[in-house]
Structure formats: C-alpha cells, structure tokens
Amino acid sequence: MLDIALPKGRLGEKVYALLKDAGYGCREFEEGGRKLIFTNPDAGVRYFWVKPSDVAVYVERGAADAGVVGKDIIAESSPDVYEMADLGFGRCDMCVAAKKDFKDPEGRPLRVATKFPNVAGAYYASISRDIDIIKLHGSIEIAPLLGLSDVIVDIVETGATLRENGLFVYEKILPISARFITNKASSKFKPDEIGRMLSGIRSRLS
Ligand code: PRP
C-alpha cells in the first residue's frame, strides 16, 4: 500500500486525474464529501487531502510515502525528501513585484513583504542587497499599496492579481511547477511500488 498526500484544491484534482489514468483510481475519492482519507486496496493506494503547504511535512516524516507539492514550497522549506519528477503543470513564477514608480531606496534595507521569507532572503543575499523581511500569510499585493513594504516576493500565475492591484513584475526569481516527492525510507523499502507509480506517471507526461 502506498500512502499519497495530495494538495487540496485544483492541483490535487489534476494529480489525482493523472494517477487514476496510471491505474491508481479510487472510487471513494470521487464520491466527494468532507472525507479526507480514501483507500483503494486493489490498486494498493491510499490518498489523503492535505493543505498544499503541509504535503512535504507528511512526506518528510513518513506519514505519506509520496506526495505532490509546488517547487515554491520545496524552495521555501527545503524538506528532506527525494524530488522524483517534475509534473510540468501547476506552472507559475516566483517574482519580485512593486508599484510602477518603484525605485530601489538606497541607504536603507529594502522592505520585502512575502509568504516566502527563505526564498526572498536567498534571492537578495545572492545579489548582496540588505532587506527587511515582512512575513505575511496572504493578500501580499496589498503591502506596497499601503506603504507596508517597498516590494513583494510572491507567486505570479496569470498575473491578474498584480494587474488588478496596479503592481508590476520587476524580476522573475524562480520558475515553479508541481513536483512528485517521496519519503527517503519509503524509497528504500518500497522501491517496486514507488517505481511502478513513477513509471506510470512518467509515461503519461511525455
Ligand atoms: C496566490 C499568490 C498571488 C496569486 C497569483 O495567492 O500569492 O496572490 O495567487 O495568482 P495570479 O497571478 O493568477 O493572479 P492565493 O490565491 O494563494 O491567495 P493568498 O493571497 O491568500 O495567498
């Protein structure tokens, strides 16, 4: 039996469709409702819905053998897992964005609002710019509008949120897509099951 952590939401639905196509369908999963754990013993799979930002925690600690998570979360939390495949969907970019009239204020740290302090910190360290990180949990685009920050570091997918709030992309700092990750011990002790699932996934990606 493989335990698979799926990110709740559109990305998780897409991953399930891929796994179903690869022979890991689960009738219980498709019935909907508020259940969070679904099993198909015949296919040897158990799915759980978890918050996207928690997938890597379940996989790192072995509560799940594998899962799917965005590269943004991997970059931010550096979980001790194997990153086995780039699924090629869930594409977006981690960007620096700011108001149109933005000028880097010299002589003081740049105030950066973000949900991704480690990614932002690493990026500005790489260009030797001092920053003051302002950690927020959502609606990041508001921060420069209210003078809370000079810039934001955030995910841009369609660009609609930036556009509708009068912000512009200044730098793309990391391309993002969904990754299939596995627990290190599971990879060692369930190599056949994981290998089978991976080749099912890979054959449907190409
Ligand atoms: C994410 C991200 C941006 C938005 C980008 O926010 O933080 O705000 O989506 O998408 P777009 O380029 O297609 O507009 P999310 O929807 O997760 O909400 P949040 O503000 O609560 O984090």
Side-chain angles (χ1 to χ4, degrees), residues 10 92 115-116 137-141 152-163:
R10 237 178 340 137
C92 51
K115 285 188 274 193
F116 302 94
H137 297 89
S139 301
I140 313 297
E141 290 81 1
I152 63 171
V153 167
D154 199 14
I155 286 164
V156 179
E157 191 179 353
T158 62
T161 313
L162 290 186
R163 242 181 347 265

Side-chain angles (χ1 to χ4, degrees), residues 184-199:
K184 288 191 166 174
S186 303
S187 298
K188 192 166 168 194
F189 295 111
K190 300 182 181 177
D192 297 342
E193 291 96 319
I194 289 180
R196 227 178 356 260
M197 183 173 276
L198 253 176
S199 47

Side-chain angles (χ1 to χ4, degrees), residues 23-24 39 54 60 82 102 105 115 125 135 138 146 163 166 176:
Y24 297 92
T39 311
D54 292 339
E60 180 175 29
Y82 292 132
F102 167 71
K115 285 188 274 193
K135 166 89 200 246
L146 298 183
R163 242 181 347 265
I176 292 162

Side-chain angles (χ1 to χ4, degrees), residues 160-182:
T161 313
L162 290 186
R163 242 181 347 265
E164 291 182 25
N165 290 287
L167 300 180
F168 294 82
V169 171
Y170 278 80
E171 290 293 336
K172 288 189 180 181
I173 63 180
L174 178 70
I176 292 162
S177 55
R179 307 298 161 100
F180 184 79
I181 58 172
T182 60

